[in-house]
Amino acid sequence: INKLGLATDLQRLLEIGICSHDLLEYLWKTHFRFLLDLARRTLLMSDWGFDHEPSCLIPCMITSSKKYDNAESEYGLSFVFDFSQTFFPLGVFQRLVCLCVSYSRLYTTSQAPTLYQESCTLFWGSEEILIQDVKDNIKVTISKGNSKVSEILRI
């Protein structure tokens, strides 16, 4: 990996969950296109359109964490996917992050998301959304004055 100049790409994957296509192609060899398509379709990864080179977000590889204590004071409306009375499937939060990052890329004015193991702040244009993995719940909080609330709730 060092000889191919992919050491930085590997470090980036292990720290922030963003992987270059070059690294994936090296790791997956001839199965690269098939596995890339499979991971996209199953929401295990999302295209990362915030760099100059083709890369993907793999949320399960994110290692940094940050807790939000009083998100309501900074944000507006929120809703919760409540799994407290039933089984909370692994990977639901990560798949929701992939879905939202993909949608974020549709707006050319979107900033790059801020990603952590259990939370994500992303932008749909100028609108800010906070997604949190809180115990047996996934909480989605929408910025105050958000003009696209109906679009967000349709996702």
Side-chain angles (χ1 to χ4, degrees):
I1 288 183
N2 284 335
K3 290 179 184 178
L4 297 171
L6 297 174
T8 308
D9 293 3
L10 179 60
Q11 181 179 359
R12 190 170 182 219
L13 170 63
L14 297 175
E15 289 177 6
I16 61 174
I18 298 173
C19 187
S20 71
H21 281 200
D22 292 339
L23 179 60
L24 288 177
E25 195 165 7
Y26 171 74
L27 295 171
W28 290 345
K29 312 243 186 274
T30 59
H31 304 290
F32 169 70
R33 292 281 171 218
F34 170 76
L35 292 172
L36 188 64
D37 185 52
L38 178 66
R40 283 179 183 143
R41 289 177 188 252
T42 56
L43 295 175
L44 295 174
M45 77 168 43
S46 174
D47 289 323
W48 184 256
F50 303 99
D51 287 339
H52 299 299
E53 67 179 66
S55 53
C56 298
L57 167 65
I58 306 173
C60 66
M61 297 297 292
I62 298 170
T63 57
S64 59
S65 63
K66 180 178 180 179
K67 301 282 186 198
Y68 288 90
D69 294 327
N70 282 333
E72 291 83 7
S73 62
E74 300 170 21
Y75 291 85
L77 300 172
S78 65
F79 60 94
V80 175
F81 296 102
D82 185 359
F83 293 94
S84 62
Q85 302 297 315
T86 185
F87 173 71
F88 182 50
L90 292 174
V92 172
F93 172 76
Q94 290 81 4
R95 285 180 166 91
L96 183 60
V97 168
C98 280
L99 181 65
C100 291
V101 167
S102 292
Y103 190 75
S104 175
R105 290 180 50 247
L106 298 177
Y107 295 94
T108 56
T109 57
S110 292
Q111 298 176 39
T114 305
L115 306 163
Y116 300 100
Q117 273 183 336
E118 297 170 339
S119 66
C120 169
T121 303
L122 36 80
F123 302 86
W124 293 348
S126 62
E127 311 297 339
E128 189 174 343
I129 296 95
L130 171 65
I131 305 171
Q132 298 171 277
D133 186 356
V134 184
K135 294 188 182 182
D136 294 330
N137 300 313
I138 296 175
K139 183 176 183 180
V140 179
T141 310
I142 303 163
S143 62
K144 290 181 182 177
N146 193 315
S147 61
K148 297 182 175 108
V149 172
S150 61
E151 283 185 43
I152 292 167
L153 296 178
R154 268 191 285 163
I155 231 179

CSV table of all heavy atoms in Angstrom, one decimal, residues 106-141:
chain,number,residue,atom,x,y,z
A,106,LEU,N,-27.2,16.1,-3.9
A,106,LEU,CA,-28.0,16.7,-4.9
A,106,LEU,C,-28.0,18.2,-4.9
A,106,LEU,O,-28.3,18.9,-5.9
A,106,LEU,CB,-29.4,16.2,-4.8
A,106,LEU,CG,-29.6,14.7,-4.9
A,106,LEU,CD1,-31.1,14.3,-4.7
A,106,LEU,CD2,-29.2,14.2,-6.3
A,107,TYR,N,-27.7,18.8,-3.8
A,107,TYR,CA,-27.6,20.3,-3.7
A,107,TYR,C,-26.2,20.7,-3.8
A,107,TYR,O,-25.3,20.3,-3.1
A,107,TYR,CB,-28.1,20.7,-2.3
A,107,TYR,CG,-29.6,20.5,-2.0
A,107,TYR,CD1,-30.0,19.3,-1.4
A,107,TYR,CD2,-30.5,21.4,-2.4
A,107,TYR,CE1,-31.3,19.0,-1.2
A,107,TYR,CE2,-31.9,21.1,-2.2
A,107,TYR,CZ,-32.3,20.0,-1.6
A,107,TYR,OH,-33.6,19.7,-1.4
A,108,THR,N,-25.9,21.5,-4.8
A,108,THR,CA,-24.5,21.9,-5.1
A,108,THR,C,-24.0,22.9,-4.0
A,108,THR,O,-22.8,23.0,-3.9
A,108,THR,CB,-24.4,22.6,-6.5
A,108,THR,OG1,-25.4,23.7,-6.5
A,108,THR,CG2,-24.8,21.7,-7.6
A,109,THR,N,-24.9,23.5,-3.2
A,109,THR,CA,-24.4,24.4,-2.2
A,109,THR,C,-24.2,23.7,-0.8
A,109,THR,O,-23.9,24.4,0.1
A,109,THR,CB,-25.4,25.5,-2.0
A,109,THR,OG1,-26.7,25.0,-1.7
A,109,THR,CG2,-25.5,26.4,-3.3
A,110,SER,N,-24.4,22.4,-0.8
A,110,SER,CA,-24.2,21.7,0.5
A,110,SER,C,-22.8,21.6,0.9
A,110,SER,O,-21.9,21.4,0.1
A,110,SER,CB,-24.7,20.2,0.3
A,110,SER,OG,-26.1,20.1,0.1
A,111,GLN,N,-22.6,21.8,2.2
A,111,GLN,CA,-21.3,21.7,2.8
A,111,GLN,C,-21.0,20.2,3.1
A,111,GLN,O,-22.0,19.4,3.2
A,111,GLN,CB,-21.2,22.4,4.2
A,111,GLN,CG,-21.4,23.9,4.1
A,111,GLN,CD,-21.5,24.5,5.5
A,111,GLN,OE1,-20.7,24.0,6.4
A,111,GLN,NE2,-22.3,25.4,5.8
A,112,ALA,N,-19.8,19.8,3.3
A,112,ALA,CA,-19.5,18.5,3.7
A,112,ALA,C,-20.0,18.2,5.0
A,112,ALA,O,-20.0,19.0,5.9
A,112,ALA,CB,-18.0,18.2,3.6
A,113,PRO,N,-20.6,17.0,5.2
A,113,PRO,CA,-21.1,16.6,6.5
A,113,PRO,C,-20.0,16.5,7.6
A,113,PRO,O,-18.9,16.2,7.3
A,113,PRO,CB,-21.8,15.2,6.3
A,113,PRO,CG,-22.0,15.1,4.8
A,113,PRO,CD,-20.9,16.0,4.2
A,114,THR,N,-20.4,16.6,8.8
A,114,THR,CA,-19.5,16.4,10.0
A,114,THR,C,-20.0,15.0,10.6
A,114,THR,O,-21.1,14.9,11.0
A,114,THR,CB,-19.7,17.5,11.0
A,114,THR,OG1,-19.4,18.7,10.4
A,114,THR,CG2,-18.7,17.3,12.2
A,115,LEU,N,-19.1,14.1,10.5
A,115,LEU,CA,-19.5,12.7,10.8
A,115,LEU,C,-18.8,12.2,12.1
A,115,LEU,O,-17.6,12.3,12.2
A,115,LEU,CB,-19.2,11.8,9.7
A,115,LEU,CG,-19.7,12.2,8.3
A,115,LEU,CD1,-19.0,11.5,7.2
A,115,LEU,CD2,-21.2,11.9,8.3
A,116,TYR,N,-19.6,11.5,12.9
A,116,TYR,CA,-19.1,10.8,14.1
A,116,TYR,C,-19.7,9.4,14.2
A,116,TYR,O,-20.7,9.2,13.4
A,116,TYR,CB,-19.4,11.6,15.4
A,116,TYR,CG,-18.7,13.0,15.4
A,116,TYR,CD1,-19.5,14.1,15.0
A,116,TYR,CD2,-17.4,13.1,15.7
A,116,TYR,CE1,-18.9,15.4,15.0
A,116,TYR,CE2,-16.8,14.4,15.7
A,116,TYR,CZ,-17.6,15.5,15.3
A,116,TYR,OH,-17.0,16.7,15.3
A,117,GLN,N,-19.2,8.6,15.1
A,117,GLN,CA,-19.8,7.2,15.2
A,117,GLN,C,-21.3,7.3,15.5
A,117,GLN,O,-22.1,6.5,15.0
A,117,GLN,CB,-19.1,6.5,16.3
A,117,GLN,CG,-17.9,5.7,15.9
A,117,GLN,CD,-17.3,5.0,17.1
A,117,GLN,OE1,-17.6,5.3,18.3
A,117,GLN,NE2,-16.6,3.9,16.8
A,118,GLU,N,-21.7,8.2,16.4
A,118,GLU,CA,-23.1,8.2,16.8
A,118,GLU,C,-23.9,9.4,16.5
A,118,GLU,O,-25.0,9.6,17.0
A,118,GLU,CB,-23.1,7.9,18.3
A,118,GLU,CG,-22.6,6.6,18.7
A,118,GLU,CD,-22.3,6.4,20.2
A,118,GLU,OE1,-22.3,7.5,20.9
A,118,GLU,OE2,-22.3,5.3,20.7
A,119,SER,N,-23.3,10.3,15.6
A,119,SER,CA,-24.0,11.5,15.2
A,119,SER,C,-23.5,12.0,13.9
A,119,SER,O,-22.4,11.7,13.5
A,119,SER,CB,-24.0,12.6,16.3
A,119,SER,OG,-22.6,13.0,16.4
A,120,CYS,N,-24.3,12.8,13.2
A,120,CYS,CA,-23.9,13.3,11.9
A,120,CYS,C,-24.7,14.6,11.7
A,120,CYS,O,-25.9,14.7,12.0
A,120,CYS,CB,-24.3,12.3,10.9
A,120,CYS,SG,-24.3,12.9,9.2
A,121,THR,N,-23.9,15.7,11.4
A,121,THR,CA,-24.5,16.9,11.0
A,121,THR,C,-24.3,17.1,9.5
A,121,THR,O,-23.2,17.0,9.0
A,121,THR,CB,-23.9,18.1,11.7
A,121,THR,OG1,-24.0,17.9,13.1
A,121,THR,CG2,-24.5,19.4,11.3
A,122,LEU,N,-25.4,17.2,8.8
A,122,LEU,CA,-25.3,17.3,7.3
A,122,LEU,C,-26.2,18.5,6.8
A,122,LEU,O,-27.0,19.0,7.5
A,122,LEU,CB,-25.6,16.0,6.6
A,122,LEU,CG,-26.6,15.1,7.0
A,122,LEU,CD1,-28.0,15.4,6.6
A,122,LEU,CD2,-26.3,13.7,6.4
A,123,PHE,N,-25.9,18.8,5.6
A,123,PHE,CA,-26.6,20.0,5.0
A,123,PHE,C,-27.2,19.6,3.7
A,123,PHE,O,-26.6,18.9,2.9
A,123,PHE,CB,-25.5,21.1,4.7
A,123,PHE,CG,-24.8,21.5,6.0
A,123,PHE,CD1,-23.7,20.8,6.4
A,123,PHE,CD2,-25.3,22.5,6.7
A,123,PHE,CE1,-23.0,21.2,7.6
A,123,PHE,CE2,-24.6,22.9,7.9
A,123,PHE,CZ,-23.5,22.2,8.3
A,124,TRP,N,-28.5,20.1,3.5
A,124,TRP,CA,-29.2,19.9,2.2
A,124,TRP,C,-29.3,21.4,1.8
A,124,TRP,O,-30.2,22.1,2.1
A,124,TRP,CB,-30.5,19.3,2.4
A,124,TRP,CG,-30.4,17.8,2.8
A,124,TRP,CD1,-29.3,17.1,2.8
A,124,TRP,CD2,-31.4,17.0,3.3
A,124,TRP,NE1,-29.5,15.8,3.2
A,124,TRP,CE2,-30.8,15.7,3.5
A,124,TRP,CE3,-32.8,17.2,3.6
A,124,TRP,CZ2,-31.6,14.6,4.0
A,124,TRP,CZ3,-33.5,16.1,4.0
A,124,TRP,CH2,-32.9,14.8,4.2
A,125,GLY,N,-28.3,21.8,1.0
A,125,GLY,CA,-28.2,23.2,0.6
A,125,GLY,C,-27.8,23.9,1.8
A,125,GLY,O,-26.8,23.6,2.5
A,126,SER,N,-28.5,24.9,2.2
A,126,SER,CA,-28.2,25.7,3.4
A,126,SER,C,-28.9,25.2,4.7
A,126,SER,O,-28.7,25.7,5.8
A,126,SER,CB,-28.6,27.2,3.2
A,126,SER,OG,-30.0,27.3,3.0
A,127,GLU,N,-29.7,24.1,4.5
A,127,GLU,CA,-30.5,23.6,5.6
A,127,GLU,C,-29.6,22.6,6.4
A,127,GLU,O,-29.0,21.7,5.8
A,127,GLU,CB,-31.8,22.9,5.1
A,127,GLU,CG,-32.6,23.8,4.2
A,127,GLU,CD,-33.1,25.0,4.8
A,127,GLU,OE1,-33.2,25.1,6.0
A,127,GLU,OE2,-33.5,25.9,4.0
A,128,GLU,N,-29.7,22.6,7.7
A,128,GLU,CA,-28.8,21.8,8.5
A,128,GLU,C,-29.7,20.7,9.2
A,128,GLU,O,-30.7,21.0,9.8
A,128,GLU,CB,-28.1,22.6,9.6
A,128,GLU,CG,-27.1,21.9,10.4
A,128,GLU,CD,-26.3,22.9,11.3
A,128,GLU,OE1,-26.3,24.1,11.0
A,128,GLU,OE2,-25.6,22.4,12.2
A,129,ILE,N,-29.2,19.5,9.2
A,129,ILE,CA,-29.9,18.4,9.9
A,129,ILE,C,-28.9,17.6,10.8
A,129,ILE,O,-27.7,17.4,10.4
A,129,ILE,CB,-30.4,17.4,8.8
A,129,ILE,CG1,-31.5,18.1,7.9
A,129,ILE,CG2,-31.0,16.1,9.4
A,129,ILE,CD1,-31.0,18.6,6.7
A,130,LEU,N,-29.3,17.3,12.0
A,130,LEU,CA,-28.5,16.5,12.9
A,130,LEU,C,-29.2,15.2,13.1
A,130,LEU,O,-30.4,15.1,13.4
A,130,LEU,CB,-28.5,17.2,14.3
A,130,LEU,CG,-27.9,16.5,15.4
A,130,LEU,CD1,-26.4,16.2,15.2
A,130,LEU,CD2,-28.0,17.3,16.7
A,131,ILE,N,-28.4,14.1,12.9
A,131,ILE,CA,-28.9,12.7,13.1
A,131,ILE,C,-28.1,12.1,14.2
A,131,ILE,O,-26.9,12.2,14.2
A,131,ILE,CB,-28.8,11.9,11.8
A,131,ILE,CG1,-29.5,12.5,10.7
A,131,ILE,CG2,-29.3,10.5,12.1
A,131,ILE,CD1,-29.2,11.9,9.3
A,132,GLN,N,-28.8,11.5,15.2
A,132,GLN,CA,-28.1,11.0,16.4
A,132,GLN,C,-28.6,9.5,16.6
A,132,GLN,O,-29.8,9.2,16.6
A,132,GLN,CB,-28.4,11.8,17.7
A,132,GLN,CG,-28.0,13.2,17.6
A,132,GLN,CD,-28.5,14.0,18.8
A,132,GLN,OE1,-29.6,14.5,18.7
A,132,GLN,NE2,-27.7,14.1,19.8
A,133,ASP,N,-27.6,8.7,17.0
A,133,ASP,CA,-27.9,7.3,17.4
A,133,ASP,C,-27.9,7.4,19.0
A,133,ASP,O,-26.8,7.5,19.6
A,133,ASP,CB,-26.8,6.4,16.9
A,133,ASP,CG,-27.1,4.9,17.1
A,133,ASP,OD1,-28.1,4.6,17.8
A,133,ASP,OD2,-26.3,4.1,16.7
A,134,VAL,N,-29.1,7.3,19.6
A,134,VAL,CA,-29.2,7.5,21.0
A,134,VAL,C,-29.9,6.2,21.6
A,134,VAL,O,-31.1,6.0,21.4
A,134,VAL,CB,-30.1,8.7,21.4
A,134,VAL,CG1,-30.1,8.9,22.9
A,134,VAL,CG2,-29.6,10.0,20.7
A,135,LYS,N,-29.1,5.4,22.2
A,135,LYS,CA,-29.5,4.1,22.8
A,135,LYS,C,-30.4,3.4,21.8
A,135,LYS,O,-29.9,2.9,20.8
A,135,LYS,CB,-30.3,4.4,24.1
A,135,LYS,CG,-29.4,4.9,25.2
A,135,LYS,CD,-30.1,4.9,26.5
A,135,LYS,CE,-29.1,5.5,27.6
A,135,LYS,NZ,-29.7,5.5,28.9
A,136,ASP,N,-31.7,3.2,22.1
A,136,ASP,CA,-32.5,2.4,21.2
A,136,ASP,C,-33.3,3.3,20.2
A,136,ASP,O,-34.4,2.9,19.7
A,136,ASP,CB,-33.5,1.6,22.0
A,136,ASP,CG,-32.8,0.5,22.8
A,136,ASP,OD1,-31.8,0.0,22.4
A,136,ASP,OD2,-33.3,0.1,23.9
A,137,ASN,N,-32.8,4.5,19.9
A,137,ASN,CA,-33.5,5.4,19.1
A,137,ASN,C,-32.6,6.1,18.1
A,137,ASN,O,-31.4,6.2,18.3
A,137,ASN,CB,-34.1,6.6,19.9
A,137,ASN,CG,-35.1,6.1,20.9
A,137,ASN,OD1,-36.0,5.3,20.6
A,137,ASN,ND2,-35.0,6.5,22.2
A,138,ILE,N,-33.2,6.5,17.0
A,138,ILE,CA,-32.4,7.4,16.1
A,138,ILE,C,-33.2,8.7,16.1
A,138,ILE,O,-34.4,8.7,15.8
A,138,ILE,CB,-32.3,6.8,14.7
A,138,ILE,CG1,-31.5,5.5,14.7
A,138,ILE,CG2,-31.7,7.8,13.7
A,138,ILE,CD1,-31.5,4.8,13.4
A,139,LYS,N,-32.6,9.8,16.4
A,139,LYS,CA,-33.2,11.1,16.5
A,139,LYS,C,-32.7,12.0,15.4
A,139,LYS,O,-31.5,12.1,15.1
A,139,LYS,CB,-32.9,11.8,17.8
A,139,LYS,CG,-33.6,13.1,18.1
A,139,LYS,CD,-33.2,13.6,19.4
A,139,LYS,CE,-34.0,14.9,19.7
A,139,LYS,NZ,-33.7,15.5,21.0
A,140,VAL,N,-33.7,12.5,14.6
A,140,VAL,CA,-33.4,13.4,13.5
A,140,VAL,C,-33.9,14.8,13.9
A,140,VAL,O,-35.1,15.0,14.3
A,140,VAL,CB,-34.1,13.0,12.2
A,140,VAL,CG1,-33.8,13.9,11.1
A,140,VAL,CG2,-33.6,11.6,11.9
A,141,THR,N,-33.0,15.8,14.0
A,141,THR,CA,-33.4,17.1,14.4
A,141,THR,C,-33.1,18.1,13.2
A,141,THR,O,-32.0,18.0,12.6
A,141,THR,CB,-32.6,17.6,15.6
A,141,THR,OG1,-32.7,16.6,16.6
A,141,THR,CG2,-33.1,18.9,16.2
